[in-house]
């Protein structure tokens, strides 16, 4: 693993060591407990040990990001990110809601954080479908699983280089959730390869980001927690 962080030994109400923040379109500024949004160390809740990262979102503000992020090692043929997260409300279930454009995400692989970043995201689309999407290109796969509220859940998200089309996978509590391996798995055909490109317009291996961003409906996700974040070039699982 080239990132392995349990957020232990850090003071409450401080920015996670070695991580940067992107809050309501402001990069690395105003990350404070009295702010409208923040991503800060919190000892009131933890999956393991005594601390986690508490992400406070700006409420219903459309599209406004609350993210903490970190640069990744380059030149790997696969990238896996595993985190434990704690949500105040359940999300998923596999049934599309009334707003097909409603989408949120909790983690992403990014070219950059601000500006015209390309992002391969994991979250939910069409209100109730756990999914991955590349900017606004959605997948056809419709898992029925739900990320439950008020408990720690293990989520792993991966992109793996393939000579035909890069593959995408996701697991929820070590159960396979998404397997995106053909162009037919995307609504409009594959948007491209994510690890094979050499330009910043497509290559999303520069950063990993976690937190919350909603487009339309905040789902009352005012507070979330993340713990035990691992990024590796091989499958991680929930036991590490």
């Amino acid at each position: 693993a080239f990132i392995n962080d349990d957020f232990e030994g850090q003071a409450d109400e401080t920015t996670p060591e070695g991580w940067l923040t992107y809050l309501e379109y402001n990069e690395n500024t105003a990350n404070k407990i009295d702010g409208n949004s923040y991503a800060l160390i919190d000892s009131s809740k933890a999956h393991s040990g005594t601390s986690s990262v508490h992400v406070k979102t700006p409420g219903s503000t459309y599209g406004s990001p609350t993210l903490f992020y970190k640069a990744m090692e380059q030149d790997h043929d696969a990238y896996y990110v595993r985190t434990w997260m704690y949500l105040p409300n359940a999300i998923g279930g596999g049934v599309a809601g009334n707003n097909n454009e409603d989408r949120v995400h909790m983690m992403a692989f990014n070219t950059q954080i601000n500006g015209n970043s390309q992002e391969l995201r994991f979250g939910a689309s069409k209100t109730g479908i756990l999914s991955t999407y590349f900017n606004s290109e959605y997948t056809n796969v419709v898992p029925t699983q739900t990320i439950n509220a008020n408990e720690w859940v293990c989520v792993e998200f991966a992109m793996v280089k393939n000579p035909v089309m890069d593959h995408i996978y996701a697991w929820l509590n070590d159960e396979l959730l998404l397997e995106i391996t053909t162009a037919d798995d995307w609504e409009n055909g594959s948007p491209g390869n994510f690890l094979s490109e050499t330009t910043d317009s497509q290559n999303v291996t520069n950063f990993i980001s976690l937190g919350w961003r909603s487009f339309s409906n905040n789902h009352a996700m005012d507070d979330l927690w993340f713990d035990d974040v691992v990024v590796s070039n091989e499958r991680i699982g929930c036991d590490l």
Side-chain angles (χ1 to χ4, degrees), residues 20 22 25 28 32 54 68 70 93 124 130 146 174 184 193-194 202-203 215 225 231-232:
L20 302 171
Y22 189 50
Y25 304 102
N28 304 313
K32 299 179 180 179
H54 179 186
F68 62 106
K70 195 169 192 174
L130 294 177
T146 296
D174 268 341
D184 289 340
N193 286 332
F194 307 104
Q202 187 85 347
N203 193 326
F215 296 87
W225 286 262
V231 182
S232 177

Side-chain angles (χ1 to χ4, degrees), residues 1 3 8-9 17 40 66 68-69 72 74 86-87 99 102 110-111 126 130 145 150 155 183 193 197 203 208 219 231:
I3 297 175
E8 295 301 303
E17 291 179 6
L40 295 169
T66 309
F68 62 106
Y69 69 96
M72 299 196 300
Q74 297 299 293
Y86 190 103
L87 308 182
N99 184 355
D102 180 17
N110 310 75
T111 58
K126 301 178 181 178
L130 294 177
Q145 294 96 319
N150 301 315
V155 178
N193 286 332
E197 297 291 335
N203 193 326
I208 181 66
H219 298 274
V231 182

Side-chain angles (χ1 to χ4, degrees), residues 82 154-156 171-176 235-239:
R82 195 284 321 274
C154 173
V155 178
E156 186 166 351
W171 295 264
L172 176 61
N173 295 325
D174 268 341
E175 178 185 353
L176 186 64
R235 181 75 207 284
I236 302 161
C238 298
D239 293 335

Side-chain angles (χ1 to χ4, degrees), residues 9 14 17 38 40 54-55 61 69 107 119-120 123-124 129 133 136 167 182 187 201 206 209 211 219 229:
T14 61
E17 291 179 6
Y38 56 73
L40 295 169
H54 179 186
V55 170
T61 305
Y69 69 96
M107 62 179 77
E119 299 181 336
L120 179 63
I129 300 172
Y133 54 100
S136 58
H167 294 177
T182 72
E187 283 190 341
S201 65
N206 292 337
S209 62
H219 298 274
V229 176

Side-chain angles (χ1 to χ4, degrees), residues 5 10 25 71 78 84 137 146 151 156 162-163 168 190 218 224:
D5 204 334
Q10 303 178 46
Y25 304 102
W84 288 82
E137 290 288 332
T146 296
E151 65 181 54
E156 186 166 351
N162 182 273
I168 303 168
S190 172
N218 199 54
L224 307 84

